[in-house]
Amino acid sequence: MALIVVRHDTGRPGLYGAAAGIVAAQCGARVMHGPVRLDEVRDPDACQHVGTGPDRVASGLLHAERLTGRLVDAIATPAQIVAAAATDDVVVPLDRLLDAGTGFVTDLLRRGAAVGLRRVSAYQDGAVLMCRDDGDGTVVAHAVRDGFGRFLPETHGAGEVGRVSVVLIGRPVTHHEVYPGALAALGDAADALGIGVDVTFVDPAAADDDPCYAALPDFDGMLLPGGAAVPGARGQVRAATVALESGVPVMGQCLGMQTMVTAFARSRAGLPDATMAEIAGGAAGVHSFIPHPHYRLGTGKLSPVPDTVLGAMLVDGAACVRSNHRYVLNTRLLPGLVAAGLRVGAWNDDADVVEGIEVPSHPFYMGMQGHPELSSIPGSPHPLCVAFLRAALTRRDGRAEAENRKER
């Protein structure tokens, strides 16, 4: 059995674990990881991945999970890692720029030296992430990073069906270097449909009168991702309102579902002052989402609602979702929301937390309270992401047909 440490100094939480995952996939090994220092003031989404452990872990470890097909475990000690390496091949990511200062690295290298530790260094060569053995300089493994931020064995082009335009309400640096899940899942769905996706980012902190919102109806689809940056929720609500009015297909993930429901409450359910308690900051009012008694972290089973479009998607592996949130839909508002046209597509297993919503009168207005993007892998995308891009294709084709009719 072997212990391999892969050094990849980027300082970016969304890349932590990627190089280790590439090496582990090549060797058929498992990835284990230690503590890292993450600046969640600068990068609120730096530590948002949900693995098998009791705590959130660095968001970039999603790459290791996608590459190896193994769920990420909890943070391990050097002693635990060395013990595991006695019976299994183990790869450990190391980023000196994220060193937590706990002595983990020094202790691991000391213990590893006694069992024949192998060191590998990773570096970026254009779109290729190369991993070389520190001893003999041979290339141990490599992968190509595509436009969705995914690390793949080789390059591959878009399919022949065509391209759709998707606006993502978020900052590029967040989704390329901090939280890779949303873009990666979008790429998996695009591959399944054989299409290309042109992604445009809109800053969620943009003011309500920013001209970016007027341009949103020009897109084929809108993605409202999850996120821990509360100020960005206001921009998402504004964008979701535009999607409701213009018919742009929109998919919400975690925070995205919360902002979608809030926008619906304001514009369709007669609650113009509705806001999320997390945004309200303790102020009284109509709160669309309220604190849950427990921090909902981990994987939970869903109870799909019969005769709903979303519920029909949530079968097999999609019948479970990873959650990472403290706020839930205020069910006291449900009667009014339902009367206005919103429909619950899924509950949690205890039927006290709304896990998914849809608006049947809209071309595609669906969101999930959990993180469906974390369950997506190449070759097996989450069905919600696939359905979203199908709706974007339909909008693209419908608009093209309308333009053709004008020219006749």
Side-chain angles (χ1 to χ4, degrees), residues 5 26 30 81 110 129 144 150-151 173 197 205 247 255 276 282 285 300 309 326 340 351 364 380 385 394 396 403:
V5 170
Q26 180 68 32
R30 63 184 289 199
I81 292 172
R110 177 182 61 81
L129 184 57
V144 178
R150 302 175 299 174
F151 290 93
V173 66
V197 180
L255 175 68
M276 299 149 58
V309 178
R326 297 177 175 83
F364 191 96
S380 184
C385 300
T394 299
R396 181 204 67 180
E403 287 297 318

Side-chain angles (χ1 to χ4, degrees), residues 325-352:
H325 61 99
R326 297 177 175 83
Y327 292 81
V328 296
L329 197 155
N330 183 354
T331 53
R332 288 177 296 177
L333 301 183
L334 262 185
L337 294 172
V338 170
L342 184 134
R343 187 162 67 183
V344 174
W347 293 87
N348 67 329
D349 207 29
D350 295 329
D352 61 353

Side-chain angles (χ1 to χ4, degrees), residues 222 224-225 233-234 236-244 250-277 279 286-290 310 327-346 353-359 364-370:
M222 178 189 299
L224 301 177
R234 294 181 174 86
Q236 283 202 9
V237 172
R238 180 73 181 91
T241 302
V242 173
L244 267 175
V250 57
M251 172 177 63
Q253 302 163 348
C254 196
L255 175 68
M257 188 193 95
Q258 297 182 9
T259 56
M260 289 172 71
V261 173
T262 303
F264 184 89
R266 291 178 180 180
S267 63
R268 297 285 181 87
L271 299 171
D273 297 323
T275 190
M276 299 149 58
I279 296 177
V286 178
H287 294 158
S288 53
F289 283 76
I290 58 178
L310 178 60
Y327 292 81
V328 296
L329 197 155
N330 183 354
T331 53
R332 288 177 296 177
L333 301 183
L334 262 185
L337 294 172
V338 170
L342 184 134
R343 187 162 67 183
V344 174
V353 173
V354 174
E355 293 279 12
I357 60 95
E358 62 188 44
V359 175
F364 191 96
Y365 197 86
M366 294 189 193
M368 291 184 65
Q369 178 60 86

Side-chain angles (χ1 to χ4, degrees), residues 35 78 99-111:
D99 185 2
T102 61
F104 169 84
V105 174
T106 301
D107 192 12
L108 178 64
L109 296 179
R110 177 182 61 81
R111 291 173 181 268

Side-chain angles (χ1 to χ4, degrees), residues 372-400:
E373 73 276 14
L374 298 183
S375 300
S376 179
I377 58 175
S380 184
H382 194 281
L384 177 62
C385 300
V386 176
F388 165 64
L389 286 186
R390 282 203 181 102
L393 276 170
T394 299
R395 178 175 174 82
R396 181 204 67 180
D397 293 344
R399 295 167 71 201

